[in-house]
Each structure stands twice: as structure tokens, then as C-alpha cells.
């Protein structure tokens, strides 16, 4: 749901939430790559930080601050991804 979204499909949203939770419950290691999520609307940051078992990589040229065990990359998205792929 975004600002002034007039055609919200609640059943689809509920189905996607169930799929997401099911995916999170699958065995394996979780890596979260967050690119450009700002602090004005912090829901993306909150979601990224709530997964204690995963590795968070936060990419943001203006505000890359993150929890202690996360990786902070104060770069633009394209530059950071290019360096990760090297």
C-alpha cells in the first residue's frame, strides 16, 4: 500500500505476505541487500533489520548507518553492486 493507492487488492496482498513468510521459513542462509532505503519512510529498513539470522548489506550514499553486525556501504547502488561482483 502506497500513498493514495485507490486500487489496493487486499487478497493479493495477503497471499503475497503468506508467500513471503513461507519463503523466510525455508532452510538456508538469508542475505538481505538493501539499496537506497532512506530514513524518511523507514519501513524497508525496519524489515531488513528484523531478521537476526540474516546478513544485512545496506547500500546508501547518504545514510548507510546500520546495526553492528551488518555491512554498511556508503555508495550509490550501481557502484556498490559493481564492487561486490568484482
Amino acid at each position: 500500500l502506497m500513498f493514495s493507492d485507490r486500487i489496493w487488492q487486499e487478497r493479493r496482498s495477503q497471499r503475497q505476505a503468506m508467500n513471503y513468510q513461507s519463503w523466510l521459513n525455508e532452510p538456508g542462509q538469508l542475505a538481505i541487500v538493501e539499496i537506497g532505503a532512506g530514513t524518511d519512510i523507514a519501513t524497508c529498513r525496519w524489515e531488513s533489520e528484523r531478521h537476526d539470522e540474516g546478513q544485512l548489506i545496506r547500500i546508501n550514499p547518504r545514510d548507510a548507518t546500520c546495526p553492528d553486525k551488518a555491512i554498511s556501504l556508503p555508495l550509490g547502488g550501481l557502484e556498490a553492486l559493481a564492487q561486490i561482483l568484482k
Side-chain angles (χ1 to χ4, degrees):
L1 179 61
M2 295 300 287
F3 314 104
S4 303
D5 196 348
R6 300 183 197 288
I7 54 173
W8 184 253
Q9 297 179 12
E10 188 168 343
R11 274 187 274 157
R12 183 175 188 273
S13 178
Q14 290 171 343
R15 210 169 42 247
Q16 291 293 66
M18 288 175 24
N19 289 341
Y20 178 57
Q21 192 58 50
S22 176
W23 176 76
L24 285 173
N25 291 333
E26 289 181 12
Q29 294 183 326
L30 178 64
I32 303 159
V33 180
E34 180 196 284
I35 303 173
T39 57
D40 290 339
I41 303 168
T43 51
C44 185
R45 285 179 171 237
W46 296 334
E47 181 65 21
S48 297
E49 291 176 2
R50 79 178 184 96
H51 301 286
D52 294 329
E53 70 283 350
Q55 175 64 61
L56 169 61
I57 301 170
R58 177 166 286 156
I59 300 170
N60 192 305
R62 288 182 295 282
D63 186 8
T65 58
C66 53
D68 290 338
K69 60 182 192 163
I71 297 169
S72 169
L73 298 176
L75 303 167
L78 182 60
E79 181 183 4
L81 291 175
Q83 287 191 23
I84 289 170
L85 291 173
K86 283 185 180 179

